[in-house]
Structure formats: C-alpha cells, structure tokens
C-alpha cells in the first residue's frame, strides 16, 4: 500500500472516530448542562474566528512555496520566520484587543473580554498549530495532524465537561484541563515536526529579500487570509454567545452535531474528487466534468436526503433518551428542519467550490466566502435584534446565506465552465423523501419511545427503497452487497 493510500485510510478512520465521539457526546452527555457546555463551545470557535487575524494566511504560503524553499535549502528559514511573524502579529493583535475598550467602551461588557484569559492564549496556540499543520502536510503526513485537529478539541470539550459536571470540580480546573489539551497539541506538533526533520531556527531575512520573494509570499498569504472568513459556524457561536447567552450556544452546538450527520456522505469528497477535477480542467473536458459533477451531486443529495428524513422522524423520540434538558431541544425542532434543509442544498451543489478553487478563477471563491461571512453576520444581527425567533432566527440566517452562497457558485460555474450539479432526478428524490416523511409521521405511535425511534426511521428507509426501486435514481444495489463491503477493506 502506498504512503498516500495508507495516510488516506488512516485519515478517514480518525475523521469518523472524531465525528462519532463528538456526536455521541453532544447527544448523551453535554445536554446535562447547556450553560457550561455553551462556555466551552464559545471559547474555541471565538478563538478560531480570530486566529486568521494573527496567522494572516502565512500557513497557506508554507504549502505554496515549500518546494521552492526546499530546493534552495531554506525550509527551516521559512518555518522560523513564519513562527516569528505569527508571534509578532499576536503581540500587535493583543495590543489592539486591550486598546479597543478605550474607543468602544461596550467591548468590556462582551463575553470575549470577560474570558480573555482563556481566549488570547488559545489564539496564540492555535496560530502556531496552524503553521505546523500546513508545514507538515508537505511531507504527505496528514494523519497525526488530523488527530491533533479532529480528536484533541473533542477530548478537550468532553474532558473539561466531565470534570465539571460528573466530578463536581471547579470551572477553573475544568478550563485548565481544556487549555492544557491545546497546549499539549502544540507540543505534539513541535515534537512531530522535529521528528520529520530536526527543527533548526533560522531568522535570517536575506533569502526573502532576494528578488523580492517576500512580496510573492505576502501576496499569496493575503489571499489565503481573505479566504478564511467563511466560517459561519464560528460566527454563529460567537454572536449567539454575545447576544443570547451561553445556554443557547450549548443548545446550538448540540443541534449542529445532529444536523452534521446529514453531511456524512460529504466526508473526504474533496480528496477523492480533486484529482479528477484537476484532470478535466487541464484537458478542457467540460462535458466529462459536467457528467461527473451531476453524478456526484446526485449521490450526495440522495444519501443526505435519506439521513435527513430519518433524523426528521426520529428526532422527537431521540430527545426522550437525552439527559434532563432533552425537552429544550424538542422546542427547537424547527431549527433542525430549516438548517437541515440548507445543508441538503449544500450537498446538492456537490464540489462547486472545489471547481472554482482549482481553476484560474480561484479568487472568485474568496469573494463569495467574504459574501457568506457578511450575509451571516448581517442576517444574524437582524434576526437577533428585530425578532424573537432566537435560534430559529439563526437557522433562517444560516439557511438564507448558505443558499445564496451556493446559488452564486452554481451560476458562476454554469456561465464560465458550462457545468451544473443540478438534475431532474433531485426533484424525484425530494418527492420520495417528502412522501416517506409524511407517511412515517401520520402512522400511529407506540407507547415505547425506543420502538418509535427504530420503527419510524425504518418505515422511511423502506418507503425510500421502494420509491428508488421503481425510479432507479440511485444504484443502491451496487452498495448493498458483500463485494462492495469487502472492497472497502482492500487497499491497492
């Protein structure tokens, strides 16, 4: 098995383990105390949202220019100066953070200011980790970094929550554990990078001054920086924490964990599709790209719609098995419907953004990412300030901004490349799933929530299978056989 195949397989395994750990914890553990879980979920997304202002896209340049500096024997020089620049940027960022209350006194009343002792150090740690993450990826080693980025945050959340809720320790101890996991992550990155190649700090700037290389490095970093503003999930967590409260952040995070189940089919899509997109773009074979785009989008949409349908009919009964606060989640059932529908639209567009990012028009992706961030912030603020919808308003905001974002990319790809992810079969999928959900809902309930939790989604699956059997939309038979299952465990 090749290095890429081994790394790809291990990467997927780590991804699914992290996904499972996060989802199970969100459903059965974190609902015990939404307030404290909300604080944990506010700290990390807020830090992640601010990290780009410290890294300024330098991490992406560590990939873009790696082969050039490697050929010139200046890898360590690039890594050293990148880390130094990030540290200087952090000092400037911290200075601005503390000066801001003099110009905007209300900032002192924000949640970010109240827990700055946690957020600021975490920003520095995550900024250094971002550099090491991209730098080590040049060695085609992605598994260890995936453990750090995927598992460690979930362990930090779960461990801190358990210390506080189950072991009745103070919030300070729980936060210390939370922060300690990320400190350990940075130490792990340093150790692993040094293991790949001994770190030799070199802060000489002559190489970057030669032929104005620093300008190319800076320009690419700047575009990378602009492309990091589309993290609407972090924006949502921050704004909910600031305007609604930590309990709502906790509820939002649990609902997101449930909704993210719909995105399971999308895991690893870019890694699989990137080589094919690259080849078709290079060959100018837009007909093949359009065919592959439609086929992949339909598969994603069909699988996502099946999962969404099961969640819809099973959600009311699932909340009965959650801890004491499960009833609070039931009140926000419309959030699952609205947000889940938006995720389905996202799945239906397939690898729209990947086509743009791998083409010469990659800068357009940056513009639409900025648009997504702006729409998310603006709509969130409108729904929070002008309505009483609370998290339902946030869900509507996310659905509207995400849909507009995807429609723009669909139009762009159709105009420029003459490719589209949409096809008539998607309408049939929507009709079949809608009928399956309707039938499952109107069928009588049993007295046992466990029976209902199994029986209702089962009805949905059977009806979708029957509908698909007659319409032949998705080749289920290609996946429901031993040959396919065995092939999953073969690596050639």
């Amino acid at each position: 098995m090749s290095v890429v195949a081994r790394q790809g397989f291990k990467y997927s395994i780590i991804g699914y383990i992290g996904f499972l750990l996060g989802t199970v914890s969100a459903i059965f553990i974190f609902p015990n105390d939404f307030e404290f879980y909300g604080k944990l979920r506010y700290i990390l997304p807020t830090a992640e949202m601010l990290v780009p202002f410290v890294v300024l896209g330098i991490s992406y340049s560590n990939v873009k220019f790696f082969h050039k500096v490697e050929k010139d024997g200046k890898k360590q020089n690039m890594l050293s100066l990148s880390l130094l620049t990030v540290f200087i940027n952090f000092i400037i960022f911290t200075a601005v953070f503390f000066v801001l209350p003099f110009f905007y006194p209300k900032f002192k009343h924000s949640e970010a200011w109240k827990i700055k002792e946690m957020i600021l150090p975490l920003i520095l740690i995550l900024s250094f980790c971002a550099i090491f993450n991209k730098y080590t990826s040049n060695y085609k080693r992605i598994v260890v970094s995936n453990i750090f980025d995927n598992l460690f945050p979930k362990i930090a959340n779960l461990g801190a929550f358990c210390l506080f809720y189950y072991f009745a320790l103070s919030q300070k101890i729980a936060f210390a554990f939370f922060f300690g996991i990320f400190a350990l992550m940075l130490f792990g990155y340093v150790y692993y990078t040094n293991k790949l190649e001994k770190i030799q700090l070199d802060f000489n700037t002559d190489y970057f001054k030669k032929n104005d290389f620093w300008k190319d490095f800076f320009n690419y970093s700047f575009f990378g920086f602009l492309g990091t503003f589309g993290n609407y999930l972090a924006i949502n967590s921050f704004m909910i924490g600031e305007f609604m409260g930590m309990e709502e952040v906790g509820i939002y995070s649990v609902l997101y964990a449930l909704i993210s189940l719909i995105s399971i089919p999308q895991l690893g899509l870019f890694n699989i599709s990137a080589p094919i997109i690259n080849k078709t773009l290079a060959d100018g074979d837009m007909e093949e790209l359009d065919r592959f785009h439609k086929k992949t989008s339909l598969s994603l949409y069909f699988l996502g719609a099946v999962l969404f349908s099961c969640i819809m009919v099973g959600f009311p009964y699932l909340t009965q098995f959650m801890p004491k606060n499960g009833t609070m989640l039931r009140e926000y059932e419309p959030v699952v419907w609205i947000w889940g529908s938006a995720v389905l639209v996202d799945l239906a567009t397939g690898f729209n953004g990947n086509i743009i990012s791998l083409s010469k028009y990659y800068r357009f992706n940056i513009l639409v990412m900025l648009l997504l961030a702006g729409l998310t912030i603006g709509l969130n603020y409108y729904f929070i300030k002008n309505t009483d919808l609370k998290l339902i308003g946030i869900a509507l905001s996310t659905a509207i901004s995400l849909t507009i974002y995807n429609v723009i990319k669909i139009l762009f790809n159709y105009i420029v490349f003459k490719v589209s992810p949409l096809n008539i079969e998607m309408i049939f999928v929507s009709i079949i799933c809608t009928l399956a959900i309707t039938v499952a809902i109107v069928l009588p309930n049993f007295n046992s929530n466990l029976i209902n939790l199994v029986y209702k989604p089962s009805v949905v699956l059977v009806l979708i299978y029957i509908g698909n059997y007659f319409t032949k939309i998705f080749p289920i038979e290609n996946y429901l056989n031993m040959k396919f299952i065995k092939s999953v465990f073969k690596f050639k």
Side-chain angles (χ1 to χ4, degrees):
M1 195 193 309
S2 67
V3 172
V4 174
R6 287 197 304 270
Q7 291 287 304
F9 173 67
K10 293 175 182 177
Y11 184 93
S12 299
I13 293 297
I14 296 301
Y16 283 111
I17 290 174
F19 185 88
L20 185 64
L21 178 64
T23 303
V24 171
S25 300
I27 294 173
F28 298 108
I29 296 177
F30 297 140
N32 281 298
D33 191 330
F34 281 131
E35 180 78 20
F36 183 69
Y37 179 52
K39 289 180 181 179
L40 295 174
R41 290 302 304 150
Y42 174 85
I43 292 170
L44 182 57
T46 300
E48 290 174 336
M49 186 178 67
L50 297 174
V51 161
F53 293 97
V54 174
V55 177
L56 294 178
I58 294 173
S59 58
Y60 297 103
S61 290
N62 271 254
V63 177
K64 170 70 173 178
F65 299 103
F66 181 80
H67 293 298
K68 170 182 169 56
V69 298
E70 182 181 36
K71 184 176 66 175
D72 297 334
K74 291 294 182 180
K75 291 185 295 183
Q76 296 296 321
N77 186 218
M78 180 180 71
L79 176 62
S80 302
L81 288 176
S82 296
L83 294 171
L84 177 61
T85 304
V86 164
F87 183 70
I88 293 172
N89 290 344
F90 175 74
I91 293 175
I92 296 171
F93 176 86
T94 303
V96 172
F97 189 90
F98 280 99
V99 169
L100 191 59
F102 291 99
F103 297 94
Y104 183 64
K106 289 185 178 179
F107 184 62
K108 279 197 171 184
H109 301 289
S110 69
E111 295 295 333
W113 179 266
K114 292 175 185 176
I115 50 179
K116 57 184 177 294
E117 294 82 4
M118 282 288 296
I119 292 177
L120 288 175
L122 190 57
I123 290 173
L124 179 61
I125 286 177
L126 293 178
S127 298
F128 282 145
C129 287
I131 299 296
F132 283 115
N133 176 284
K134 295 298 183 183
Y135 184 82
T136 55
S137 70
N138 292 303
Y139 293 88
K140 297 182 176 64
R141 295 292 190 273
I142 58 175
V143 175
V144 173
S145 61
N146 192 32
I147 292 174
F148 290 145
D149 295 344
N150 202 336
L151 289 184
F152 271 49
K154 293 178 175 62
I155 293 171
N157 279 325
L158 182 58
F161 187 90
C162 289
L163 287 175
F164 174 76
Y165 184 81
Y166 291 105
F167 293 93
L169 298 178
S170 67
Q171 285 195 24
K172 287 187 176 180
I173 294 176
F175 284 145
F177 175 87
F178 180 82
F179 182 79
I181 293 295
F182 288 99
L184 181 62
M185 182 170 79
L186 177 58
F187 175 79
Y189 263 122
V190 174
Y191 176 81
Y192 184 63
T193 305
N194 190 66
K195 188 176 179 181
L196 290 173
E197 182 179 348
K198 187 173 178 58
I199 297 177
Q200 297 175 329
L201 296 178
D202 178 8
F203 299 109
N204 192 294
T205 58
D206 292 343
Y207 177 76
F208 277 78
K209 290 178 181 177
K210 186 178 178 180
N211 297 324
D212 288 334
F213 174 50
W214 68 271
K215 289 185 179 179
D216 294 332
F217 195 90
F218 172 79
N219 287 335
Y220 191 83
S221 297
F222 181 68
F223 279 108
F225 163 66
L226 292 178
T228 58
F229 286 102
N231 189 351
Y232 65 91
L233 298 173
I235 293 171
N236 285 348
S237 293
F238 173 75
M239 295 188 73
I240 293 170
E242 290 295 339
F243 295 104
M244 295 185 190
M246 293 305 172
E247 186 174 68
E248 281 75 12
V249 177
I251 296 172
Y252 164 85
S253 300
V254 171
L255 291 173
Y256 168 69
L258 283 170
I259 296 166
S260 62
L261 287 169
I262 304 168
S263 300
I264 285 180
Q266 203 173 28
L267 292 177
L269 172 67
F270 179 72
N271 292 333
I272 297 170
S273 62
I276 300 173
I277 298 171
N278 256 332
K279 185 178 185 304
T280 53
L281 286 173
D283 296 342
D285 191 352
M286 296 301 107
E287 188 175 325
E288 172 60 21
L289 181 60
D290 185 57
R291 186 199 65 79
F292 180 61
H293 195 12
K294 281 182 167 60
K295 179 182 177 182
T296 307
S297 301
L298 177 60
S299 297
L300 287 175
Y301 183 69
F302 179 83
L303 296 171
V306 171
L307 290 170
F308 179 64
S309 302
C310 291
I311 291 172
M312 286 301 91
V313 299
F315 179 75
Y317 311 105
L318 179 62
T319 57
Q320 302 300 317
F321 293 93
M322 293 181 180
K324 58 184 179 182
N325 292 322
T327 52
M328 296 178 67
L329 293 174
R330 181 69 191 274
E331 295 174 7
Y332 281 109
E333 188 171 354
V335 171
V336 183
W337 286 84
I338 296 167
W339 199 357
S341 300
V343 173
L344 273 185
V345 171
D346 193 47
L347 288 176
T349 63
F351 46 74
N352 243 344
N354 300 338
I355 294 175
I356 301 172
S357 63
L358 291 170
S359 73
K360 63 181 179 180
Y361 302 101
Y362 67 90
R363 288 184 177 86
F364 182 77
N365 240 3
I366 296 172
L367 292 176
V368 290
M369 289 292 274
L370 291 173
L371 173 66
L372 174 61
L375 278 173
T376 301
I377 294 171
L379 289 172
N380 278 353
Y381 189 80
Y382 172 81
F383 281 112
I384 290 171
K385 290 295 184 180
N386 297 285
T387 71
D388 296 320
L389 294 173
K390 296 185 179 180
L391 292 182
I392 296 175
I394 298 295
L396 284 170
S397 166
T398 301
I400 294 169
S401 57
L402 199 56
T403 301
I404 292 174
Y405 167 74
N406 280 308
V407 167
I408 290 174
K409 288 193 295 181
I410 289 174
L411 292 174
F412 181 86
N413 281 337
Y414 184 75
I415 294 170
V416 175
F417 302 108
K418 304 303 179 187
V419 299
S420 169
L422 306 179
N423 50 68
I424 191 67
E425 285 85 354
M426 288 181 177
I427 296 177
F428 293 119
V429 172
S430 301
I431 293 172
I432 292 170
C433 290
T434 301
L435 289 174
I437 292 173
T438 304
V439 171
I441 290 176
V442 299
L443 284 176
N445 293 333
F446 290 95
N447 292 327
S448 170
N449 287 311
L450 179 60
I451 293 177
N452 290 327
L453 181 60
V454 176
Y455 141 68
K456 295 275 187 172
S458 297
V459 169
V460 165
L461 291 175
V462 169
L463 292 176
I464 292 175
Y465 180 83
I466 294 172
N468 184 72
Y469 178 80
F470 289 104
T471 56
K472 305 294 183 184
I473 296 172
F474 187 78
I476 295 178
E477 63 278 1
N478 292 346
Y479 300 91
L480 295 180
N481 58 69
M482 289 305 298
K483 183 179 178 181
F484 173 77
I485 295 171
K486 289 179 180 178
S487 70
V488 172
F489 299 98
K490 292 181 180 178
F491 313 101
K492 295 182 179 180

